[in-house]
PDB file of all heavy atoms in Angstrom:
ATOM      1  N   ASN A  74      88.607  53.387 -40.878  1.00  0.00           N
ATOM      2  CA  ASN A  74      89.004  52.367 -39.798  1.00  0.00           C
ATOM      3  C   ASN A  74      88.567  52.837 -38.446  1.00  0.00           C
ATOM      4  O   ASN A  74      88.372  52.047 -37.476  1.00  0.00           O
ATOM      5  CB  ASN A  74      90.498  52.149 -39.813  1.00  0.00           C
ATOM      6  CG  ASN A  74      90.969  51.435 -41.063  1.00  0.00           C
ATOM      7  OD1 ASN A  74      90.249  50.750 -41.699  1.00  0.00           O
ATOM      8  ND2 ASN A  74      92.157  51.646 -41.420  1.00  0.00           N
ATOM      9  N   LEU A  75      88.434  54.209 -38.214  1.00  0.00           N
ATOM     10  CA  LEU A  75      88.027  54.733 -36.920  1.00  0.00           C
ATOM     11  C   LEU A  75      86.546  54.855 -36.772  1.00  0.00           C
ATOM     12  O   LEU A  75      86.058  55.216 -35.685  1.00  0.00           O
ATOM     13  CB  LEU A  75      88.715  56.052 -36.636  1.00  0.00           C
ATOM     14  CG  LEU A  75      90.234  55.932 -36.379  1.00  0.00           C
ATOM     15  CD1 LEU A  75      90.863  57.319 -36.491  1.00  0.00           C
ATOM     16  CD2 LEU A  75      90.457  55.415 -34.932  1.00  0.00           C
ATOM     17  N   GLY A  76      85.797  54.620 -37.910  1.00  0.00           N
ATOM     18  CA  GLY A  76      84.323  54.771 -37.786  1.00  0.00           C
ATOM     19  C   GLY A  76      83.732  56.154 -37.850  1.00  0.00           C
ATOM     20  O   GLY A  76      82.646  56.395 -37.269  1.00  0.00           O
ATOM     21  N   TYR A  77      84.460  57.059 -38.551  1.00  0.00           N
ATOM     22  CA  TYR A  77      83.906  58.346 -38.767  1.00  0.00           C
ATOM     23  C   TYR A  77      82.525  58.142 -39.553  1.00  0.00           C
ATOM     24  O   TYR A  77      82.482  57.256 -40.404  1.00  0.00           O
ATOM     25  CB  TYR A  77      84.833  59.231 -39.602  1.00  0.00           C
ATOM     26  CG  TYR A  77      85.850  59.910 -38.693  1.00  0.00           C
ATOM     27  CD1 TYR A  77      86.934  59.181 -38.195  1.00  0.00           C
ATOM     28  CD2 TYR A  77      85.788  61.288 -38.373  1.00  0.00           C
ATOM     29  CE1 TYR A  77      87.955  59.787 -37.489  1.00  0.00           C
ATOM     30  CE2 TYR A  77      86.827  61.920 -37.681  1.00  0.00           C
ATOM     31  CZ  TYR A  77      87.862  61.107 -37.147  1.00  0.00           C
ATOM     32  OH  TYR A  77      88.754  61.769 -36.405  1.00  0.00           O
ATOM     33  N   PRO A  78      81.523  58.920 -39.263  1.00  0.00           N
ATOM     34  CA  PRO A  78      80.166  58.711 -39.833  1.00  0.00           C
ATOM     35  C   PRO A  78      80.017  59.118 -41.304  1.00  0.00           C
ATOM     36  O   PRO A  78      79.071  59.893 -41.541  1.00  0.00           O
ATOM     37  CB  PRO A  78      79.309  59.471 -38.881  1.00  0.00           C
ATOM     38  CG  PRO A  78      80.085  60.642 -38.523  1.00  0.00           C
ATOM     39  CD  PRO A  78      81.542  60.077 -38.375  1.00  0.00           C
ATOM     40  N   PHE A  79      80.879  58.684 -42.146  1.00  0.00           N
ATOM     41  CA  PHE A  79      80.837  59.101 -43.563  1.00  0.00           C
ATOM     42  C   PHE A  79      80.851  57.786 -44.466  1.00  0.00           C
ATOM     43  O   PHE A  79      81.487  56.804 -44.095  1.00  0.00           O
ATOM     44  CB  PHE A  79      82.025  59.947 -43.905  1.00  0.00           C
ATOM     45  CG  PHE A  79      82.137  61.240 -43.031  1.00  0.00           C
ATOM     46  CD1 PHE A  79      83.264  61.425 -42.326  1.00  0.00           C
ATOM     47  CD2 PHE A  79      81.095  62.057 -42.893  1.00  0.00           C
ATOM     48  CE1 PHE A  79      83.417  62.544 -41.486  1.00  0.00           C
ATOM     49  CE2 PHE A  79      81.190  63.153 -42.053  1.00  0.00           C
ATOM     50  CZ  PHE A  79      82.441  63.359 -41.360  1.00  0.00           C
ATOM     51  N   GLU A  80      80.268  57.884 -45.622  1.00  0.00           N
ATOM     52  CA  GLU A  80      80.196  56.767 -46.562  1.00  0.00           C
ATOM     53  C   GLU A  80      81.490  56.825 -47.315  1.00  0.00           C
ATOM     54  O   GLU A  80      82.214  57.797 -47.382  1.00  0.00           O
ATOM     55  CB  GLU A  80      79.040  56.991 -47.481  1.00  0.00           C
ATOM     56  CG  GLU A  80      77.634  56.951 -46.832  1.00  0.00           C
ATOM     57  CD  GLU A  80      76.459  57.276 -47.803  1.00  0.00           C
ATOM     58  OE1 GLU A  80      76.833  57.497 -49.028  1.00  0.00           O
ATOM     59  OE2 GLU A  80      75.332  57.323 -47.441  1.00  0.00           O
ATOM     60  N   GLN A  81      81.775  55.657 -47.945  1.00  0.00           N
ATOM     61  CA  GLN A  81      82.965  55.504 -48.747  1.00  0.00           C
ATOM     62  C   GLN A  81      83.053  56.558 -49.883  1.00  0.00           C
ATOM     63  O   GLN A  81      84.019  57.199 -50.162  1.00  0.00           O
ATOM     64  CB  GLN A  81      83.080  54.134 -49.336  1.00  0.00           C
ATOM     65  CG  GLN A  81      83.360  52.992 -48.369  1.00  0.00           C
ATOM     66  CD  GLN A  81      83.332  51.647 -48.993  1.00  0.00           C
ATOM     67  OE1 GLN A  81      83.266  51.497 -50.160  1.00  0.00           O
ATOM     68  NE2 GLN A  81      83.523  50.566 -48.129  1.00  0.00           N
ATOM     69  N   LYS A  82      81.847  56.775 -50.534  1.00  0.00           N
ATOM     70  CA  LYS A  82      81.821  57.727 -51.544  1.00  0.00           C
ATOM     71  C   LYS A  82      82.167  59.105 -51.056  1.00  0.00           C
ATOM     72  O   LYS A  82      82.901  59.914 -51.746  1.00  0.00           O
ATOM     73  CB  LYS A  82      80.420  57.759 -52.238  1.00  0.00           C
ATOM     74  CG  LYS A  82      80.095  58.678 -53.280  1.00  0.00           C
ATOM     75  CD  LYS A  82      80.926  58.408 -54.566  1.00  0.00           C
ATOM     76  CE  LYS A  82      80.468  59.370 -55.739  1.00  0.00           C
ATOM     77  NZ  LYS A  82      81.202  59.095 -56.940  1.00  0.00           N
ATOM     78  N   GLN A  83      81.804  59.544 -49.889  1.00  0.00           N
ATOM     79  CA  GLN A  83      82.061  60.820 -49.316  1.00  0.00           C
ATOM     80  C   GLN A  83      83.554  60.980 -49.072  1.00  0.00           C
ATOM     81  O   GLN A  83      84.144  61.972 -49.265  1.00  0.00           O
ATOM     82  CB  GLN A  83      81.209  61.101 -48.022  1.00  0.00           C
ATOM     83  CG  GLN A  83      79.735  61.215 -48.294  1.00  0.00           C
ATOM     84  CD  GLN A  83      78.931  61.298 -47.040  1.00  0.00           C
ATOM     85  OE1 GLN A  83      79.145  60.451 -46.086  1.00  0.00           O
ATOM     86  NE2 GLN A  83      78.044  62.214 -46.945  1.00  0.00           N
ATOM     87  N   LEU A  84      84.134  59.807 -48.610  1.00  0.00           N
ATOM     88  CA  LEU A  84      85.585  59.895 -48.316  1.00  0.00           C
ATOM     89  C   LEU A  84      86.437  59.990 -49.615  1.00  0.00           C
ATOM     90  O   LEU A  84      87.367  60.717 -49.695  1.00  0.00           O
ATOM     91  CB  LEU A  84      86.032  58.653 -47.515  1.00  0.00           C
ATOM     92  CG  LEU A  84      85.405  58.604 -46.070  1.00  0.00           C
ATOM     93  CD1 LEU A  84      85.865  57.273 -45.438  1.00  0.00           C
ATOM     94  CD2 LEU A  84      85.832  59.750 -45.282  1.00  0.00           C
ATOM     95  N   PHE A  85      85.940  59.320 -50.657  1.00  0.00           N
ATOM     96  CA  PHE A  85      86.605  59.476 -51.953  1.00  0.00           C
ATOM     97  C   PHE A  85      86.607  60.980 -52.400  1.00  0.00           C
ATOM     98  O   PHE A  85      87.420  61.446 -53.065  1.00  0.00           O
ATOM     99  CB  PHE A  85      85.921  58.663 -52.998  1.00  0.00           C
ATOM    100  CG  PHE A  85      86.577  57.226 -53.217  1.00  0.00           C
ATOM    101  CD1 PHE A  85      85.922  56.108 -52.865  1.00  0.00           C
ATOM    102  CD2 PHE A  85      87.875  57.207 -53.699  1.00  0.00           C
ATOM    103  CE1 PHE A  85      86.467  54.802 -53.039  1.00  0.00           C
ATOM    104  CE2 PHE A  85      88.483  55.947 -53.901  1.00  0.00           C
ATOM    105  CZ  PHE A  85      87.752  54.753 -53.593  1.00  0.00           C
ATOM    106  N   THR A  86      85.441  61.680 -52.063  1.00  0.00           N
ATOM    107  CA  THR A  86      85.370  63.107 -52.486  1.00  0.00           C
ATOM    108  C   THR A  86      86.397  63.972 -51.840  1.00  0.00           C
ATOM    109  O   THR A  86      86.852  65.002 -52.434  1.00  0.00           O
ATOM    110  CB  THR A  86      83.969  63.633 -52.288  1.00  0.00           C
ATOM    111  OG1 THR A  86      83.711  63.770 -50.850  1.00  0.00           O
ATOM    112  CG2 THR A  86      82.911  62.839 -53.005  1.00  0.00           C
ATOM    113  N   LEU A  87      86.804  63.584 -50.677  1.00  0.00           N
ATOM    114  CA  LEU A  87      87.884  64.468 -49.941  1.00  0.00           C
ATOM    115  C   LEU A  87      89.123  64.423 -50.731  1.00  0.00           C
ATOM    116  O   LEU A  87      89.824  65.424 -50.872  1.00  0.00           O
ATOM    117  CB  LEU A  87      88.073  63.952 -48.546  1.00  0.00           C
ATOM    118  CG  LEU A  87      86.893  64.083 -47.483  1.00  0.00           C
ATOM    119  CD1 LEU A  87      87.279  63.580 -46.220  1.00  0.00           C
ATOM    120  CD2 LEU A  87      86.411  65.653 -47.494  1.00  0.00           C
ATOM    121  N   THR A  88      89.538  63.128 -51.183  1.00  0.00           N
ATOM    122  CA  THR A  88      90.764  63.107 -51.973  1.00  0.00           C
ATOM    123  C   THR A  88      90.616  63.873 -53.252  1.00  0.00           C
ATOM    124  O   THR A  88      91.528  64.509 -53.841  1.00  0.00           O
ATOM    125  CB  THR A  88      91.186  61.647 -52.279  1.00  0.00           C
ATOM    126  OG1 THR A  88      90.137  60.978 -52.947  1.00  0.00           O
ATOM    127  CG2 THR A  88      91.403  60.896 -50.877  1.00  0.00           C
ATOM    128  N   ALA A  89      89.384  63.826 -53.856  1.00  0.00           N
ATOM    129  CA  ALA A  89      89.156  64.455 -55.170  1.00  0.00           C
ATOM    130  C   ALA A  89      89.183  66.012 -55.003  1.00  0.00           C
ATOM    131  O   ALA A  89      89.731  66.690 -55.822  1.00  0.00           O
ATOM    132  CB  ALA A  89      87.778  63.986 -55.716  1.00  0.00           C
ATOM    133  N   ILE A  90      88.616  66.494 -53.882  1.00  0.00           N
ATOM    134  CA  ILE A  90      88.659  67.917 -53.598  1.00  0.00           C
ATOM    135  C   ILE A  90      90.020  68.445 -53.482  1.00  0.00           C
ATOM    136  O   ILE A  90      90.422  69.420 -54.087  1.00  0.00           O
ATOM    137  CB  ILE A  90      87.780  68.252 -52.369  1.00  0.00           C
ATOM    138  CG1 ILE A  90      86.328  68.008 -52.643  1.00  0.00           C
ATOM    139  CG2 ILE A  90      88.051  69.627 -51.856  1.00  0.00           C
ATOM    140  CD1 ILE A  90      85.427  68.100 -51.407  1.00  0.00           C
ATOM    141  N   ALA A  91      90.856  67.683 -52.655  1.00  0.00           N
ATOM    142  CA  ALA A  91      92.273  68.108 -52.479  1.00  0.00           C
ATOM    143  C   ALA A  91      92.985  68.064 -53.829  1.00  0.00           C
ATOM    144  O   ALA A  91      93.739  68.988 -54.235  1.00  0.00           O
ATOM    145  CB  ALA A  91      93.014  67.140 -51.512  1.00  0.00           C
ATOM    146  N   GLY A  92      92.658  67.081 -54.723  1.00  0.00           N
ATOM    147  CA  GLY A  92      93.268  66.959 -55.999  1.00  0.00           C
ATOM    148  C   GLY A  92      92.949  68.063 -56.917  1.00  0.00           C
ATOM    149  O   GLY A  92      93.682  68.714 -57.510  1.00  0.00           O
ATOM    150  N   LEU A  93      91.635  68.370 -56.935  1.00  0.00           N
ATOM    151  CA  LEU A  93      91.115  69.467 -57.825  1.00  0.00           C
ATOM    152  C   LEU A  93      91.693  70.801 -57.464  1.00  0.00           C
ATOM    153  O   LEU A  93      92.131  71.608 -58.239  1.00  0.00           O
ATOM    154  CB  LEU A  93      89.653  69.493 -57.888  1.00  0.00           C
ATOM    155  CG  LEU A  93      89.037  70.517 -58.904  1.00  0.00           C
ATOM    156  CD1 LEU A  93      87.837  69.939 -59.537  1.00  0.00           C
ATOM    157  CD2 LEU A  93      88.627  71.827 -58.097  1.00  0.00           C
ATOM    158  N   SER A  94      91.679  71.028 -56.098  1.00  0.00           N
ATOM    159  CA  SER A  94      92.171  72.272 -55.628  1.00  0.00           C
ATOM    160  C   SER A  94      93.628  72.505 -56.000  1.00  0.00           C
ATOM    161  O   SER A  94      94.144  73.598 -56.392  1.00  0.00           O
ATOM    162  CB  SER A  94      91.953  72.431 -54.133  1.00  0.00           C
ATOM    163  OG  SER A  94      92.589  73.553 -53.584  1.00  0.00           O
ATOM    164  N   GLY A  95      94.441  71.494 -55.700  1.00  0.00           N
ATOM    165  CA  GLY A  95      95.948  71.543 -55.908  1.00  0.00           C
ATOM    166  C   GLY A  95      96.182  71.745 -57.328  1.00  0.00           C
ATOM    167  O   GLY A  95      97.067  72.437 -57.737  1.00  0.00           O
ATOM    168  N   ALA A  96      95.421  71.119 -58.232  1.00  0.00           N
ATOM    169  CA  ALA A  96      95.609  71.201 -59.706  1.00  0.00           C
ATOM    170  C   ALA A  96      95.312  72.617 -60.167  1.00  0.00           C
ATOM    171  O   ALA A  96      95.977  73.234 -60.935  1.00  0.00           O
ATOM    172  CB  ALA A  96      94.799  70.230 -60.442  1.00  0.00           C
ATOM    173  N   THR A  97      94.156  73.189 -59.647  1.00  0.00           N
ATOM    174  CA  THR A  97      93.754  74.461 -60.036  1.00  0.00           C
ATOM    175  C   THR A  97      94.697  75.553 -59.507  1.00  0.00           C
ATOM    176  O   THR A  97      94.972  76.480 -60.312  1.00  0.00           O
ATOM    177  CB  THR A  97      92.350  74.824 -59.447  1.00  0.00           C
ATOM    178  OG1 THR A  97      91.460  73.778 -59.957  1.00  0.00           O
ATOM    179  CG2 THR A  97      91.877  76.151 -59.920  1.00  0.00           C
ATOM    180  N   LEU A  98      95.271  75.440 -58.341  1.00  0.00           N
ATOM    181  CA  LEU A  98      96.180  76.388 -57.802  1.00  0.00           C
ATOM    182  C   LEU A  98      97.535  76.332 -58.579  1.00  0.00           C
ATOM    183  O   LEU A  98      98.261  77.356 -58.559  1.00  0.00           O
ATOM    184  CB  LEU A  98      96.455  76.113 -56.293  1.00  0.00           C
ATOM    185  CG  LEU A  98      95.272  76.449 -55.375  1.00  0.00           C
ATOM    186  CD1 LEU A  98      95.580  76.186 -53.959  1.00  0.00           C
ATOM    187  CD2 LEU A  98      94.892  77.897 -55.497  1.00  0.00           C
ATOM    188  N   ARG A  99      97.742  75.210 -59.217  1.00  0.00           N
ATOM    189  CA  ARG A  99      98.995  75.253 -60.094  1.00  0.00           C
ATOM    190  C   ARG A  99      98.928  76.171 -61.252  1.00  0.00           C
ATOM    191  O   ARG A  99      99.995  76.579 -61.794  1.00  0.00           O
ATOM    192  CB  ARG A  99      99.233  73.812 -60.637  1.00  0.00           C
ATOM    193  CG  ARG A  99      99.811  72.858 -59.579  1.00  0.00           C
ATOM    194  CD  ARG A  99     100.210  71.531 -60.177  1.00  0.00           C
ATOM    195  NE  ARG A  99     100.714  70.661 -59.158  1.00  0.00           N
ATOM    196  CZ  ARG A  99     101.507  69.646 -59.429  1.00  0.00           C
ATOM    197  NH1 ARG A  99     101.727  69.327 -60.657  1.00  0.00           N
ATOM    198  NH2 ARG A  99     101.925  68.901 -58.429  1.00  0.00           N
ATOM    199  N   ILE A 100      97.721  76.500 -61.745  1.00  0.00           N
ATOM    200  CA  ILE A 100      97.631  77.428 -62.896  1.00  0.00           C
ATOM    201  C   ILE A 100      98.156  78.802 -62.496  1.00  0.00           C
ATOM    202  O   ILE A 100      99.048  79.268 -63.174  1.00  0.00           O
ATOM    203  CB  ILE A 100      96.092  77.488 -63.337  1.00  0.00           C
ATOM    204  CG1 ILE A 100      95.687  76.087 -63.791  1.00  0.00           C
ATOM    205  CG2 ILE A 100      95.998  78.537 -64.470  1.00  0.00           C
ATOM    206  CD1 ILE A 100      94.236  75.973 -64.220  1.00  0.00           C
ATOM    207  N   PRO A 101      97.618  79.463 -61.358  1.00  0.00           N
ATOM    208  CA  PRO A 101      98.276  80.717 -61.054  1.00  0.00           C
ATOM    209  C   PRO A 101      99.653  80.595 -60.687  1.00  0.00           C
ATOM    210  O   PRO A 101     100.529  81.457 -60.931  1.00  0.00           O
ATOM    211  CB  PRO A 101      97.371  81.241 -59.953  1.00  0.00           C
ATOM    212  CG  PRO A 101      96.695  80.123 -59.380  1.00  0.00           C
ATOM    213  CD  PRO A 101      96.486  79.173 -60.521  1.00  0.00           C
ATOM    214  N   ALA A 102      99.960  79.422 -59.864  1.00  0.00           N
ATOM    215  CA  ALA A 102     101.429  79.274 -59.552  1.00  0.00           C
ATOM    216  C   ALA A 102     102.376  79.128 -60.604  1.00  0.00           C
ATOM    217  O   ALA A 102     103.552  79.489 -60.429  1.00  0.00           O
ATOM    218  CB  ALA A 102     101.433  77.970 -58.579  1.00  0.00           C
ATOM    219  N   SER A 103     101.914  78.750 -61.844  1.00  0.00           N
ATOM    220  CA  SER A 103     102.781  78.601 -62.965  1.00  0.00           C
ATOM    221  C   SER A 103     103.466  79.928 -63.387  1.00  0.00           C
ATOM    222  O   SER A 103     104.438  79.979 -63.931  1.00  0.00           O
ATOM    223  CB  SER A 103     101.980  77.991 -64.192  1.00  0.00           C
ATOM    224  OG  SER A 103     101.399  76.780 -63.843  1.00  0.00           O
ATOM    225  N   PHE A 104     102.741  80.978 -63.094  1.00  0.00           N
ATOM    226  CA  PHE A 104     103.120  82.340 -63.481  1.00  0.00           C
ATOM    227  C   PHE A 104     103.695  83.195 -62.371  1.00  0.00           C
ATOM    228  O   PHE A 104     103.997  84.383 -62.549  1.00  0.00           O
ATOM    229  CB  PHE A 104     101.975  83.011 -64.134  1.00  0.00           C
ATOM    230  CG  PHE A 104     101.343  82.214 -65.290  1.00  0.00           C
ATOM    231  CD1 PHE A 104     100.175  81.499 -65.055  1.00  0.00           C
ATOM    232  CD2 PHE A 104     101.922  82.122 -66.463  1.00  0.00           C
ATOM    233  CE1 PHE A 104      99.610  80.786 -66.018  1.00  0.00           C
ATOM    234  CE2 PHE A 104     101.380  81.320 -67.489  1.00  0.00           C
ATOM    235  CZ  PHE A 104     100.175  80.680 -67.259  1.00  0.00           C
ATOM    236  N   MET A 105     103.787  82.657 -61.096  1.00  0.00           N
ATOM    237  CA  MET A 105     104.143  83.378 -59.971  1.00  0.00           C
ATOM    238  C   MET A 105     105.663  83.810 -59.968  1.00  0.00           C
ATOM    239  O   MET A 105     105.978  84.940 -59.494  1.00  0.00           O
ATOM    240  CB  MET A 105     103.909  82.696 -58.732  1.00  0.00           C
ATOM    241  CG  MET A 105     102.488  82.587 -58.342  1.00  0.00           C
ATOM    242  SD  MET A 105     102.208  81.620 -56.824  1.00  0.00           S
ATOM    243  CE  MET A 105     100.424  81.739 -56.623  1.00  0.00           C
ATOM    244  N   ILE A 106     106.567  82.998 -60.491  1.00  0.00           N
ATOM    245  CA  ILE A 106     107.964  83.237 -60.373  1.00  0.00           C
ATOM    246  C   ILE A 106     108.420  84.459 -61.114  1.00  0.00           C
ATOM    247  O   ILE A 106     109.077  85.323 -60.607  1.00  0.00           O
ATOM    248  CB  ILE A 106     108.799  82.050 -60.828  1.00  0.00           C
ATOM    249  CG1 ILE A 106     108.432  80.794 -60.065  1.00  0.00           C
ATOM    250  CG2 ILE A 106     110.295  82.285 -60.870  1.00  0.00           C
ATOM    251  CD1 ILE A 106     108.755  80.921 -58.647  1.00  0.00           C
ATOM    252  N   ARG A 107     107.885  84.592 -62.325  1.00  0.00           N
ATOM    253  CA  ARG A 107     108.256  85.876 -63.084  1.00  0.00           C
ATOM    254  C   ARG A 107     107.676  87.130 -62.488  1.00  0.00           C
ATOM    255  O   ARG A 107     108.183  88.095 -62.519  1.00  0.00           O
ATOM    256  CB  ARG A 107     107.770  85.631 -64.574  1.00  0.00           C
ATOM    257  CG  ARG A 107     108.240  86.786 -65.463  1.00  0.00           C
ATOM    258  CD  ARG A 107     108.056  86.513 -66.909  1.00  0.00           C
ATOM    259  NE  ARG A 107     108.471  87.615 -67.722  1.00  0.00           N
ATOM    260  CZ  ARG A 107     109.720  87.813 -68.168  1.00  0.00           C
ATOM    261  NH1 ARG A 107     110.623  86.949 -67.826  1.00  0.00           N
ATOM    262  NH2 ARG A 107     110.019  88.830 -68.880  1.00  0.00           N
ATOM    263  N   ILE A 108     106.500  86.945 -61.874  1.00  0.00           N
ATOM    264  CA  ILE A 108     105.818  88.093 -61.226  1.00  0.00           C
ATOM    265  C   ILE A 108     106.355  88.463 -59.904  1.00  0.00           C
ATOM    266  O   ILE A 108     106.527  89.576 -59.552  1.00  0.00           O
ATOM    267  CB  ILE A 108     104.307  87.782 -61.145  1.00  0.00           C
ATOM    268  CG1 ILE A 108     103.634  87.653 -62.523  1.00  0.00           C
ATOM    269  CG2 ILE A 108     103.522  88.862 -60.311  1.00  0.00           C
ATOM    270  CD1 ILE A 108     102.281  87.163 -62.499  1.00  0.00           C
ATOM    271  N   ALA A 109     106.681  87.473 -59.069  1.00  0.00           N
ATOM    272  CA  ALA A 109     107.052  87.722 -57.687  1.00  0.00           C
ATOM    273  C   ALA A 109     108.429  87.290 -57.193  1.00  0.00           C
ATOM    274  O   ALA A 109     108.871  87.580 -56.139  1.00  0.00           O
ATOM    275  CB  ALA A 109     106.027  87.087 -56.762  1.00  0.00           C
ATOM    276  N   GLY A 110     109.100  86.473 -58.066  1.00  0.00           N
ATOM    277  CA  GLY A 110     110.480  86.112 -57.698  1.00  0.00           C
ATOM    278  C   GLY A 110     110.430  84.778 -57.057  1.00  0.00           C
ATOM    279  O   GLY A 110     109.529  84.391 -56.299  1.00  0.00           O
ATOM    280  N   GLY A 111     111.506  83.932 -57.246  1.00  0.00           N
ATOM    281  CA  GLY A 111     111.483  82.613 -56.729  1.00  0.00           C
ATOM    282  C   GLY A 111     111.600  82.501 -55.190  1.00  0.00           C
ATOM    283  O   GLY A 111     110.847  81.734 -54.640  1.00  0.00           O
ATOM    284  N   ARG A 112     112.541  83.245 -54.598  1.00  0.00           N
ATOM    285  CA  ARG A 112     112.623  83.138 -53.120  1.00  0.00           C
ATOM    286  C   ARG A 112     111.375  83.624 -52.431  1.00  0.00           C
ATOM    287  O   ARG A 112     110.861  82.950 -51.526  1.00  0.00           O
ATOM    288  CB  ARG A 112     113.797  84.011 -52.764  1.00  0.00           C
ATOM    289  CG  ARG A 112     113.908  84.321 -51.206  1.00  0.00           C
ATOM    290  CD  ARG A 112     113.266  85.723 -50.890  1.00  0.00           C
ATOM    291  NE  ARG A 112     113.647  86.138 -49.605  1.00  0.00           N
ATOM    292  CZ  ARG A 112     113.467  87.370 -49.108  1.00  0.00           C
ATOM    293  NH1 ARG A 112     112.730  88.216 -49.843  1.00  0.00           N
ATOM    294  NH2 ARG A 112     113.831  87.780 -47.899  1.00  0.00           N
ATOM    295  N   ASN A 113     110.829  84.781 -52.948  1.00  0.00           N
ATOM    296  CA  ASN A 113     109.529  85.273 -52.321  1.00  0.00           C
ATOM    297  C   ASN A 113     108.405  84.273 -52.411  1.00  0.00           C
ATOM    298  O   ASN A 113     107.627  84.021 -51.506  1.00  0.00           O
ATOM    299  CB  ASN A 113     109.149  86.554 -53.041  1.00  0.00           C
ATOM    300  CG  ASN A 113     110.210  87.621 -52.849  1.00  0.00           C
ATOM    301  OD1 ASN A 113     110.948  87.629 -51.912  1.00  0.00           O
ATOM    302  ND2 ASN A 113     110.201  88.613 -53.830  1.00  0.00           N
ATOM    303  N   THR A 114     108.205  83.627 -53.543  1.00  0.00           N
ATOM    304  CA  THR A 114     107.187  82.707 -53.848  1.00  0.00           C
ATOM    305  C   THR A 114     107.347  81.461 -53.094  1.00  0.00           C
ATOM    306  O   THR A 114     106.379  80.990 -52.364  1.00  0.00           O
ATOM    307  CB  THR A 114     107.082  82.399 -55.411  1.00  0.00           C
ATOM    308  OG1 THR A 114     106.866  83.589 -56.059  1.00  0.00           O
ATOM    309  CG2 THR A 114     105.902  81.399 -55.671  1.00  0.00           C
ATOM    310  N   VAL A 115     108.516  80.850 -53.136  1.00  0.00           N
ATOM    311  CA  VAL A 115     108.727  79.577 -52.329  1.00  0.00           C
ATOM    312  C   VAL A 115     108.575  79.738 -50.834  1.00  0.00           C
ATOM    313  O   VAL A 115     108.032  78.975 -50.178  1.00  0.00           O
ATOM    314  CB  VAL A 115     110.137  78.950 -52.741  1.00  0.00           C
ATOM    315  CG1 VAL A 115     110.401  77.729 -51.893  1.00  0.00           C
ATOM    316  CG2 VAL A 115     110.213  78.619 -54.238  1.00  0.00           C
ATOM    317  N   PHE A 116     109.114  80.806 -50.335  1.00  0.00           N
ATOM    318  CA  PHE A 116     108.884  81.036 -48.823  1.00  0.00           C
ATOM    319  C   PHE A 116     107.479  81.106 -48.593  1.00  0.00           C
ATOM    320  O   PHE A 116     106.885  80.409 -47.640  1.00  0.00           O
ATOM    321  CB  PHE A 116     109.603  82.359 -48.435  1.00  0.00           C
ATOM    322  CG  PHE A 116     109.003  82.865 -47.160  1.00  0.00           C
ATOM    323  CD1 PHE A 116     109.366  82.264 -45.973  1.00  0.00           C
ATOM    324  CD2 PHE A 116     108.194  84.018 -47.187  1.00  0.00           C
ATOM    325  CE1 PHE A 116     108.831  82.692 -44.776  1.00  0.00           C
ATOM    326  CE2 PHE A 116     107.707  84.550 -46.028  1.00  0.00           C
ATOM    327  CZ  PHE A 116     107.948  83.920 -44.832  1.00  0.00           C
TER     328      PHE A 116
END
Side-chain angles (χ1 to χ4, degrees):
N74 292 334
L75 286 163
Y77 278 74
F79 307 122
E80 299 175 2
Q81 291 178 3
K82 176 70 174 178
Q83 291 174 314
L84 294 178
F85 266 113
T86 65
L87 293 180
T88 60
I90 288 170
L93 184 142
S94 174
T97 303
L98 290 179
R99 285 190 178 195
I100 298 174
S103 303
F104 307 101
M105 285 179 182
I106 299 302
R107 187 170 179 84
I108 293 170
R112 169 261 197 175
N113 299 335
T114 301
V115 173
F116 158 74

